[in-house]
Amino acid sequence: MPRTTLLRQLLQQRHLTTHEAFAAQYERAAARLAELDRDPRLASLQVSPRQFDRWYGGELLTLPRPDACRVLEHMLGRPVSELFSTAYDGDSAHDRDEGPSTRRQVTSAPPPREDDENPLDIVAQTRQLTGSNTDDATLAFLDSSLEGIASRYEQDGPYALRPQARQVRQLAHTLLNGRQPPRTRRDLFRVAARASGLLGYMAVNTGDFALSEAYCTEARDLSREIGDLDTDLWACGTLSFSLYYAGRYDEADACAAAAVERAPRHAQCIRLLANGRARALGKTGDRRAVEQTIGQALRLSDLHEVPVGLTSCISFEPYGRARTLANAVTSHVALVNTAQVLRNAEHIDDLVEHSTSSWSRSLVRLDVATALLQQCTPDIDQAMALGREALQLCGETPISSVYQRSRDLHEQAGPWRDHPAVRDYGDEFRTWSSQPAALAMASSAS
């Protein structure tokens, strides 16, 4: 004999006692819930005749799958733990259809267990705690998307890859609005933090420093929620990077220094020291602190055995030795330490020239060009030739760091404005900086 459940009573009251009537109502409820929860998977849920018969007859050892439970709760307005529990209302529509002997059997049945002892209720609670709107395949897809963005960044640039990074961030946020077990939720927090971090880095390269600060703060806060120190320190390094290009050098140094103090031996501190502290200290003129900071970064590089070559600028991996030295070059340019600039640049020249990073090759050329103008006997022709090469390497993918340094080189060459090489560089700089992206950077800088 079918078990009299609350589900059976409600379906009788609503005249949904056939598979066709129930299925139509169920599919409409699934579509509504999919829209409300922003979970499109739910819209495709259906109920087979066999499933309906088992639900209607109360023939269940365990509750339906989590998604089906969500639809039933939305459709009938009651928790599934109640829907599939035995109903004891003697005045129910079903009891009126049964004979007196059946009502006597119900009356003489043993009293129900306490609510917290109901097996179906316990199963339902467990399902709720362990249910998830995210599976391993989705997490793997999100991770691979972030890796793909980072690996293609220096070829495609921020304007081409920003939409994809935004989509990853949005999907991670949407999923986090649902339910996941702790491990899955932690992985989603990490994805969301790293997507925000990449967007923060891209915003620096497009000259939008306020947007970068917001993204970096989100990346830092999300990573701290799950104790992800690696992403946390990387986000702090990117925030310092943003403050540096915004001209806020003391804040850039303080931001990086605070992060280093939290984990002085962590591999991410190589970037924090070389890209965050040393360059900002160079701008403030603290020669001794620059030397100490670069030395600390190089010693930490030896401790972690980082790559010798030029790592990707946006990578979450620790800085390679060549990129640390490239940052040292920039620091010494600010200090007008010309001899050190030229020595360091020569040391990494082969690694830089054989890298796939057009931006890095461009930036090192601009640093060396600036140093050549800073010499006691300026090499104007060579400096301007390097400046033109730097602009040509960037081509149609300008970034704020190249824009700022090429502009600074043009201003520094002002005393020789009548020199043919300076005029040629000036003409090329004006053409290059007339691109819409470069014009936006100029507007942000002003």
Side-chain angles (χ1 to χ4, degrees):
M1 180 180 297
R3 190 163 59 91
T4 305
T5 61
L6 178 60
L7 175 78
R8 185 182 181 90
Q9 288 185 350
L10 292 174
L11 295 187
Q12 288 172 348
Q13 292 169 10
R14 300 182 188 195
H15 306 289
L16 299 175
T17 56
T18 66
H19 172 257
E20 291 77 10
F22 175 84
Q25 188 76 11
Y26 180 89
E27 289 168 18
R28 282 195 292 271
R32 287 196 303 271
L33 186 60
E35 184 176 353
L36 288 172
D37 285 3
R38 296 180 181 178
D39 189 351
R41 297 178 304 109
L42 298 176
S44 62
L45 291 183
Q46 296 180 328
V47 179
S48 69
R50 174 58 182 152
Q51 282 177 302
F52 171 74
D53 290 343
R54 291 176 59 234
W55 293 356
Y56 188 63
E59 301 171 8
L60 292 176
L61 295 177
T62 61
L63 292 177
R65 296 176 65 85
D67 287 344
C69 289
R70 291 167 62 190
V71 175
L72 286 171
E73 289 178 342
H74 178 72
M75 175 180 171
L76 299 173
R78 302 292 287 272
V80 288
S81 57
E82 294 181 15
L83 291 174
F84 289 102
S85 296
T86 302
Y88 288 96
D89 183 358
D91 294 328
S92 70
H94 174 69
D95 286 339
R96 286 194 298 271
D97 292 339
E98 300 289 348
S101 61
T102 304
R103 288 201 296 273
R104 282 195 299 272
Q105 289 175 6
V106 172
T107 303
S108 61
R113 296 184 179 94
E114 296 293 332
D115 287 344
D116 62 353
E117 293 180 333
N118 188 323
L120 285 172
D121 198 20
I122 294 169
V123 172
Q125 290 170 354
T126 304
R127 285 286 185 94
Q128 287 182 331
L129 290 173
T130 60
S132 178
N133 63 350
T134 310
D135 55 21
D136 289 340
T138 301
L139 288 170
F141 168 76
L142 292 172
D143 277 331
S144 67
S145 296
L146 293 180
E147 290 173 6
I149 291 168
S151 66
R152 302 196 315 275
Y153 185 67
E154 296 198 26
Q155 285 72 49
D156 297 347
Y159 296 98
L161 292 173
R162 191 167 47 184
Q164 185 179 346
R166 285 173 175 163
Q167 289 175 343
V168 173
R169 175 180 175 271
Q170 182 57 53
L171 179 54
H173 280 235
T174 299
L175 292 171
L176 282 168
N177 283 329
R179 179 185 292 125
Q180 310 88 27
R183 176 189 63 81
T184 303
R185 193 162 185 81
R186 185 186 187 283
D187 289 343
L188 278 175
F189 260 79
R190 182 175 180 273
V191 167
R194 293 203 162 194
S196 295
L198 291 180
L199 286 165
Y201 195 101
M202 292 179 191
V204 179
N205 284 162
T206 59
D208 196 336
F209 305 117
L211 182 63
S212 174
E213 188 169 354
Y215 275 132
C216 290
T217 301
E218 177 177 273
R220 183 195 64 195
D221 292 350
L222 291 177
S223 56
R224 287 183 181 178
E225 281 294 319
I226 57 171
D228 182 359
L229 183 61
D230 199 56
T231 305
D232 177 0
L233 296 179
W234 187 93
C236 291
T238 305
L239 178 56
S240 174
F241 173 65
S242 177
L243 293 167
Y244 173 85
Y245 277 107
R248 297 157 62 182
Y249 305 121
D250 288 331
E251 292 176 70
D253 176 43
C255 176
V260 170
E261 191 173 332
R262 291 177 54 219
R265 295 170 67 85
H266 196 284
Q268 287 292 342
C269 289
I270 301 168
R271 176 173 179 248
L272 285 161
L273 291 163
N275 187 269
R277 295 212 65 197
R279 299 194 314 163
L281 289 165
K283 287 291 188 180
T284 62
D286 194 336
R287 187 179 301 271
R288 182 178 179 185
V290 167
E291 294 288 357
Q292 290 176 338
T293 303
I294 292 171
Q296 189 179 351
L298 292 173
R299 288 191 296 274
L300 200 54
S301 299
D302 292 336
L303 179 65
H304 287 281
E305 298 182 353
V306 298
V308 174
L310 198 69
T311 49
S312 169
C313 67
I314 203 171
S315 172
F316 288 101
E317 298 302 315
Y319 252 29
R321 195 176 186 86
R323 191 161 290 283
T324 299
L325 290 173
N327 281 269
V329 168
T330 305
S331 305
H332 288 298
V333 168
L335 295 169
V336 197
N337 193 352
T338 306
Q340 189 66 52
V341 170
L342 298 178
R343 278 197 299 271
N344 282 356
E346 184 178 3
H347 185 69
I348 62 174
D349 180 69
D350 188 60
L351 293 171
V352 171
E353 290 308 300
H354 286 87
S355 78
T356 59
S357 175
S358 298
W359 295 331
S360 296
R361 297 202 299 274
S362 177
L363 290 168
V364 171
R365 278 169 168 75
L366 289 167
D367 280 343
V368 172
T370 301
L372 291 174
L373 291 183
Q374 292 172 343
Q375 294 180 119
C376 295
T377 304
D379 190 341
I380 299 170
D381 289 326
Q382 179 63 9
M384 296 300 98
L386 288 172
R388 290 196 303 275
E389 287 179 17
L391 296 176
Q392 291 160 7
L393 280 166
C394 265
E396 298 178 356
T397 55
I399 55 174
S400 59
S401 52
V402 173
Y403 170 78
Q404 287 190 17
R405 290 191 215 178
S406 59
R407 178 203 59 195
D408 291 347
L409 179 63
H410 184 246
E411 292 175 357
Q412 189 168 347
W416 303 280
R417 64 177 58 87
D418 294 330
H419 193 292
V422 175
R423 288 200 302 269
D424 290 345
Y425 174 73
D427 291 342
E428 190 146 356
F429 173 72
R430 280 186 288 274
T431 301
W432 181 83
S433 59
S434 66
Q435 300 177 73
L439 288 172
M441 293 170 198
S443 174
S444 174
S446 63

